Amino acid sequence: MSNKLMMPGENQQPEKRSGHWLLAQIGKTVLRPGGLYLTNKMLTKLNITTSDDVIEFAPGVGSTAQITLAKRPKTYIAVEQNEQAAEIVRSYLNGDHQTCHINSAQETQLDSEIASIVYCEAMLTMQTSTRKKQIIEEANRLLKTNGRFGIHEMCITPSDIDSNKQRYIQKLLTETIQHPAKPLTPKEWGQLLNECGFEIEYEAIAPMHLLEPVRMLQDEGVIGCFKILKNLATKPDVRKRVLNMRNVFRQHSDNLAAITFVVKKKPLI
């Protein structure tokens, strides 16, 4: 990816940037709550092959997209609503049947039933209840019958958590990452997917260790971690934000996790 490409929010003060773009700007390439560990579980179950038509919502810096593209799917469409983010996407597309479509995930303007696989990561969590439903329904519309949809998101555990506590954690996350965050419980995620016309084939949960040293080493490697640490050491305002995010994740580790689902589009009756 070219160093000249600007990331969304780069001109904003560190205290105002969305958490995921703040992390990207210091060199974090894996921005998914369950790290590569849960991304790989999702991709394994999606089982992308050279015969698949794949659509990815909001690929961001593209760590998952590049894994997908290495599988050489028949076609790949990225749907990205931010022009700066789209420029990042275009920097790693290198095939005749790989495109970036600028539009919103809830209203892509793409034709119906054109994909065998649709997936998104770490974006539904950031949507309102209405928008979550709209995006999942749009994935259903884009998929052929029996097509598969994968998600990798943050969740709040356990499923029977007190609703007031769930709202408190959602509010705290929103304040911490400077972006609306409404993670659901595993049961709520499953119910939402079912209501939008999918049947669950696979579900897995992992700890919310996005900013923990062991996970970061697994996701970013030694050189990547060194780059991140160097940026944190020289940018005190950014370091304060990142440590605050990690503290919130740690304080609520009993109730915060990452979750992935792979679901299949139900045939119309």
Side-chain angles (χ1 to χ4, degrees):
M1 180 168 46
S2 169
N3 291 329
K4 295 180 181 179
L5 291 174
M6 287 187 64
M7 294 188 184
E10 199 164 332
N11 291 326
Q12 292 178 309
Q13 293 298 313
E15 63 271 16
K16 296 297 182 182
R17 288 181 210 156
S18 294
H20 55 294
W21 289 119
L22 182 82
L23 293 174
Q25 286 154 15
I26 61 169
K28 190 90 173 69
T29 62
V30 178
L31 302 169
R32 315 314 192 187
L36 284 176
Y37 169 77
L38 214 52
T39 288
N40 285 330
K41 282 188 171 293
M42 180 188 76
L43 291 177
T44 296
K45 293 299 179 181
L46 286 173
N47 190 29
I48 297 167
T49 70
T50 55
S51 64
D52 280 309
D53 295 296
V54 179
I55 296 175
E56 179 176 4
F57 294 159
V61 296
S63 58
T64 304
Q66 291 174 72
I67 298 172
T68 293
L69 292 172
K71 299 176 186 293
R72 303 179 66 83
K74 182 180 176 183
T75 63
Y76 171 87
I77 300 174
V79 177
E80 179 57 69
Q81 67 176 356
N82 183 288
E83 180 58 47
Q84 284 180 311
E87 283 300 310
I88 296 171
V89 174
R90 293 188 190 107
S91 73
Y92 55 75
L93 299 181
N94 57 16
D96 293 337
H97 303 289
Q98 301 173 12
T99 59
C100 180
H101 184 80
I102 298 184
N103 225 312
S104 62
Q106 68 270 18
E107 196 171 350
T108 64
Q109 303 295 322
L110 296 170
D111 291 338
S112 298
E113 299 187 8
I114 60 170
S116 55
I117 291 175
V118 178
Y119 68 85
C120 60
E121 298 181 286
M123 61 94 72
L124 290 171
T125 296
M126 308 302 180
Q127 312 299 325
T128 63
S129 299
T130 299
R131 188 64 54 82
K132 282 181 175 69
K133 191 171 188 293
Q134 290 172 338
I135 292 171
I136 297 172
E137 287 176 340
E138 180 70 349
N140 188 288
R141 184 186 71 81
L142 294 171
L143 283 166
K144 303 167 187 175
T145 300
N146 294 322
R148 282 161 292 148
F149 179 44
I151 71 169
H152 173 183
E153 299 291 337
M154 197 183 299
C155 72
I156 291 182
T157 60
S159 284
D160 61 355
I161 189 172
D162 177 78
S163 59
N164 289 327
K165 186 172 185 180
Q166 181 174 357
R167 283 192 292 271
Y168 169 73
I169 294 173
Q170 290 172 337
K171 181 175 181 290
L172 189 61
L173 286 171
T174 295
E175 293 169 351
T176 304
I177 67 175
Q178 286 294 301
H179 195 289
K182 290 193 69 177
L184 306 179
T185 66
K187 182 179 179 181
E188 288 171 336
W189 279 121
Q191 287 175 335
L192 180 59
L193 288 162
N194 192 263
E195 289 168 6
C196 293
F198 291 101
E199 58 184 50
I200 296 169
E201 292 191 328
Y202 178 75
E203 174 184 351
I205 292 179
M208 178 60 190
H209 285 173
L210 180 68
L211 298 178
E212 294 298 330
V214 172
R215 173 68 61 72
M216 287 185 65
L217 193 59
Q218 292 170 342
D219 287 347
E220 309 296 338
V222 174
I223 295 174
C225 284
F226 179 77
K227 178 182 178 182
I228 292 168
L229 290 172
K230 182 180 178 182
N231 279 323
L232 289 175
T234 57
K235 299 175 180 178
D237 290 348
V238 174
R239 182 172 68 247
K240 181 180 178 181
R241 282 278 320 274
V242 173
L243 290 177
N244 188 34
M245 283 191 282
R246 189 179 71 176
N247 287 340
V248 168
F249 296 158
R250 284 181 172 179
Q251 289 166 10
H252 296 279
S253 59
D254 288 344
N255 300 113
L256 282 176
I259 193 164
T260 185
F261 285 90
V262 172
V263 297
K264 185 171 71 173
K265 179 175 177 175
K266 298 175 186 176
L268 292 174
I269 299 173

